[in-house]
Amino acid sequence: MADHDGTGGVRPLTLAWVGRHLDIGERVVKTEALHGGITAEMRRVTVGRRDGGTRDLVLRTFVDAAHAEDSLNRERGALALLAGTGVPAPGLVAVDHRAVHCEYPSLLMTHLAGRTVLEDAGVEARVPLLARQLVAIHAVRPAPAERPPQYVTLTTADTVVTPKGADAATWAAAVDVIRGPAPPYEGRFLHRDFHPGNLLFDMPPPGPAALRITGIVDWAAASWGPADLDVAHCCTNLALLHDPAWGVRFAEVYEEAGGVPAAASSERLYWQVRDALAFSEEVQQVSLSWRGAGRTELTARIVGERLDAYVTSLMDAPG
């Protein structure tokens, strides 16, 4: 989705900065606000070329600069690292992470073709693609100096919000899982926000059989940490977006695709539960975002019920 606003939606200093990173003879002819961004403003920037054609870029602007520098540095590093790897990420054009040239911290990158696909129909065909793509991300092996910062988790046992009507004993047991220290892990390059809303798809005729991922966006949380953390995050998103069973299934499909999760089931459970409980603090925000993307039936109540069912399934699983 996009709102067309000419070039008036981009602030003057930022527009001038964008212009300095275009090719000779190019100019910005139109910008569009892209919906779906939570932590930053996202705009498609249409650039007029000398030959009369156009090309598109994407501008990310952090009006709230509280975490802008860290986020932009993570994204800059990730995009530079992924160039030439085969992982379909945007190309880095320019970054002003301290707002030296722009009104606010900003990053300019290439625009990727495709669209997000969030509907329930066809999820069984998309899940294997997601799993294979996540395996490819985790296969990237940066040199130590190129690794992104260590992962962070903000949820604690004291910040978890038990959904209304949930079984208190089950949730108390789940909270106990994350009270202890994190299990040991082998570090991997992580997207850290890998879920259907950050993937772009192309589905040309004749239909789902031709479905392919054309892009992975929003690398502002790129991290170094356990592969299970990325897997768990996608599991929770699939559970809330489609059905709790898909959350459980994605972990299996990831392993079938060649992914290497933690060896012990207790260690895998730790990361799955930790990510699921983190969503307990964001049910309203998550449901609002998905409704804005067209899933109007996903009210906070329904998302909360699915989260409860997913947590319960994790705690009831054998092993």
Side-chain angles (χ1 to χ4, degrees):
M1 298 174 63
D3 290 336
H4 300 256
D5 54 16
T7 60
V10 179
R11 297 163 184 87
L13 291 178
T14 304
L15 187 62
W17 174 76
V18 170
R20 290 196 293 274
H21 293 283
L22 302 180
D23 294 336
I24 295 174
E26 291 187 329
R27 62 188 180 88
V28 176
V29 296
K30 181 177 64 177
T31 68
E32 307 166 50
L34 300 174
H35 298 276
I38 295 176
T39 59
E41 291 181 358
M42 302 293 294
R43 308 191 78 84
R44 178 186 295 149
V45 179
T46 300
V47 177
R49 302 193 310 235
R50 294 178 65 181
D51 61 6
T54 61
R55 66 186 180 103
D56 289 332
L57 300 173
V58 172
L59 175 68
R60 181 196 292 274
T61 299
F62 283 81
V63 177
D64 180 358
H67 304 289
E69 185 171 349
D70 177 67
S71 295
L72 289 179
N73 279 333
R74 286 175 185 264
E75 185 150 32
R76 172 177 61 180
L79 298 187
L81 176 66
L82 292 169
T85 64
V87 174
L92 178 66
V93 177
V95 64
D96 182 14
H97 62 283
R98 293 178 178 168
V100 174
H101 306 286
C102 305
E103 284 85 352
Y104 299 102
S106 301
L107 183 141
L108 189 65
M109 62 192 122
T110 60
H111 176 267
L112 300 176
R115 65 180 182 89
T116 56
V117 183
L118 302 180
E119 58 260 27
D120 288 334
V123 63
E124 65 281 354
R126 297 192 300 272
V127 162
L129 297 183
L130 267 66
R132 290 197 292 270
Q133 191 62 77
L134 191 54
V135 170
I137 292 171
H138 294 162
V140 174
R141 295 289 187 269
E146 297 177 323
R147 290 175 183 173
Q150 192 78 4
Y151 77 93
V152 295
T153 56
L154 300 179
T155 297
T156 69
D158 296 327
T159 59
V160 173
V161 180
T162 302
K164 184 178 181 179
D167 181 73
T170 298
W171 275 72
V175 170
D176 283 342
V177 169
I178 68 169
R179 287 189 188 278
Y185 62 86
E186 183 177 355
R188 288 286 184 267
F189 175 67
L190 308 180
H191 182 282
R192 197 62 182 92
D193 195 19
F194 186 88
H195 63 82
N198 280 333
L199 276 78
L200 303 175
F201 290 87
D202 177 39
M203 191 169 60
L211 182 71
R212 66 186 182 95
I213 294 174
T214 58
I216 308 166
V217 299
D218 196 356
W219 295 87
S223 303
W224 187 255
D228 288 88
L229 195 54
D230 261 356
V231 176
H233 192 62
C234 193
C235 285
T236 308
N237 273 276
L238 290 170
L240 304 188
L241 186 60
H242 301 299
D243 184 272
W246 281 112
V248 175
R249 177 61 182 145
F250 182 77
E252 300 168 347
V253 176
Y254 172 81
E255 193 167 4
E256 292 167 2
V260 182
S265 59
S266 61
E267 294 174 355
R268 296 193 296 271
L269 179 67
Y270 175 90
W271 299 111
Q272 289 174 316
V273 169
R274 170 166 284 286
D275 189 83
L277 295 184
F279 274 77
S280 75
E281 305 170 39
E282 303 174 348
V283 167
Q284 290 282 356
Q285 184 181 37
V286 169
S287 63
L288 181 63
S289 175
W290 283 338
R291 290 200 304 275
R295 291 296 304 272
T296 56
E297 79 282 11
L298 292 180
T299 62
R301 179 183 63 81
I302 289 176
V303 172
E305 289 174 352
R306 289 184 176 181
L307 178 61
D308 178 34
Y310 177 55
V311 170
T312 299
S313 69
L314 293 176
M315 298 306 296
D316 287 347

